[in-house]
Amino acid sequence: MILNIILIVVGVAIVLWGADRLTDGAVALAERMKMSQMLIGLTIVALGTSMPEFFVSLTSALKGTTDMAVGNVVGSNIFNAMVIVGCAAVVMPMTILNTTVRKDIPFALLASVVLMLLCIDGSISRLDSALFVALLGIFFYISIKGSRSEPTQEAEAKTPQPVWKALLFVVLGLAGLVVGSNVFVDNAASLASLLGMSEAVIGLTIVAGGTSLPELATSIVAAKKGNSDIAIGNVLGSNVMNILFILGITGLISPMQINGITWVDLSMMGISMLLLWLFSFTKYRIERWEGLLLVILFAGYMSWLIAGAMA
């Protein structure tokens, strides 16, 4: 158990280091390629930081532990919208672009609603997964088209990094995020198993929190550096990727039955995105008190979930 705890700390340290490298590289690429930081956050960073969730969910589905696969996605999306946005806003109030409020957040909310509706029959079939992949294509199209007319957030005046160095930072950052997350999840899941928790609860809590460490670290570092476009874009992009990419690809390979994921869990996923959307309407900012409220609500949900698992 002591070794597990030590490795969990090591995993967190590697994730934080990777997040710092990835953020620097992503900002440099946005400047060099004349792309908006929002587009980088919604696509490249979001896809990269969703890799831990993808591998965990795919492996879980192939091994027959589908509750953990779906619980990982649902729990990660709740964690992203409440903890990551909440903590990032507490560190530095986040400015939200108009296009984010009008397009990106609604699309992430739509993805959540579609998942809730498709879970009514207690399964995710290959047809359901094909719909997810089709929606993912639409999301990429909207993101790329919208970014062309959106002004890039001003960065500090400095000498641009060479492209090779920026790409190296992105690769090293993603490697650190994936490796660190895997170390964390493996050891955290082992500790959770000793407590006799179900696959669904482990997926919604320990695994979801662990695989969301890249998003948490990346968004907090980006917010602290004043790059709120990447911070919020990373969260929204990751939530969309989690549902449309992860469940889409995983479901096409291995259809999933859902037993332990309740409507309370699915509803919390939808409510978290709805709150994020409502808060964004207030002067196109998420204030510190709003971020703190999201964190408190998440703590209440986790307490209810864990109490039910221990009962």
Side-chain angles (χ1 to χ4, degrees):
M1 184 175 291
I2 294 178
L3 179 60
N4 288 141
I5 295 174
I6 293 175
L7 289 175
I8 287 174
V9 175
V10 171
V12 171
I14 295 175
V15 164
L16 292 174
W17 179 86
D20 199 23
R21 300 288 81 73
L22 179 61
T23 301
D24 288 342
V27 172
L29 285 177
E31 295 170 348
R32 283 286 185 177
M33 300 171 65
K34 306 300 181 182
M35 295 170 62
S36 70
Q37 292 179 4
M38 173 58 73
L39 179 58
I40 293 290
L42 281 168
T43 55
I44 298 174
V45 178
L47 183 60
T49 56
S50 289
M51 284 298 102
E53 285 97 333
F54 175 68
F55 285 113
V56 168
S57 291
L58 179 59
T59 302
S60 298
L62 292 175
K63 290 183 177 180
T65 56
T66 54
D67 273 351
M68 184 177 291
V70 180
N72 177 32
V73 168
V74 174
S76 292
N77 279 19
I78 296 172
F79 189 93
N80 288 351
M82 291 190 160
V83 177
I84 296 178
V85 173
C87 290
V90 170
V91 170
M92 181 72 67
M94 303 173 70
T95 300
I96 311 298
L97 296 176
N98 180 271
T99 186
T100 303
V101 176
R102 291 186 293 104
K103 297 179 181 179
D104 301 323
I105 298 179
F107 201 97
L109 179 59
L110 172 64
S112 299
V113 172
V114 170
L115 175 58
M116 294 170 64
L117 293 176
L118 294 181
C119 285
I120 291 178
D121 62 357
S123 66
I124 296 179
S125 65
R126 284 193 171 90
L127 181 60
D128 296 336
S129 299
L131 175 59
F132 287 148
V133 174
L135 288 174
L136 180 63
I138 295 174
F139 171 72
F140 277 131
Y141 173 77
I142 293 175
S143 297
I144 294 173
K145 183 179 180 181
S147 69
R148 293 173 180 169
S149 60
E150 197 65 43
T152 302
Q153 191 182 61
E154 291 296 328
E156 296 179 5
K158 58 183 178 181
T159 303
Q161 291 183 0
V163 175
W164 70 266
K165 188 175 182 180
L167 290 173
L168 179 62
F169 274 13
V170 170
V171 172
L172 290 176
L174 290 176
L177 291 169
V178 172
V179 171
S181 294
N182 284 335
V183 171
F184 174 90
V185 171
D186 288 344
N187 290 278
S190 295
L191 289 177
S193 296
L194 295 176
L195 300 175
M197 300 170 69
S198 69
E199 292 175 3
V201 173
I202 291 177
L204 287 164
T205 56
I206 302 296
V207 177
T211 55
S212 290
L213 277 179
E215 287 91 341
L216 176 61
T218 301
S219 294
I220 289 179
V221 170
K224 188 176 181 180
K225 292 182 177 181
N227 299 314
S228 59
D229 280 5
I230 283 186
I232 191 68
N234 179 39
V235 168
L236 295 175
S238 292
N239 276 21
V240 172
M241 294 291 182
N242 285 349
I243 295 175
L244 304 184
F245 172 71
I246 294 176
L247 292 184
I249 301 300
T250 300
L252 285 175
I253 296 173
S254 176
M256 294 169 281
Q257 294 294 320
I258 305 170
N259 299 312
I261 308 301
T262 69
W263 270 100
V264 174
D265 304 318
L266 294 170
S267 297
M268 277 300 299
M269 178 182 63
I271 290 171
S272 64
M273 284 308 307
L274 183 59
L275 286 175
L276 181 56
W277 195 17
L278 293 175
F279 288 162
S280 298
F281 276 106
T282 57
K283 299 180 181 179
Y284 292 96
R285 281 168 61 88
I286 298 180
E287 303 291 352
R288 283 192 170 93
W289 72 267
E290 293 172 327
L292 183 60
L293 178 59
L294 288 172
V295 174
I296 292 174
L297 289 174
F298 177 82
Y301 166 67
M302 281 292 106
S303 298
W304 173 84
L305 193 63
I306 294 174
M310 297 299 183

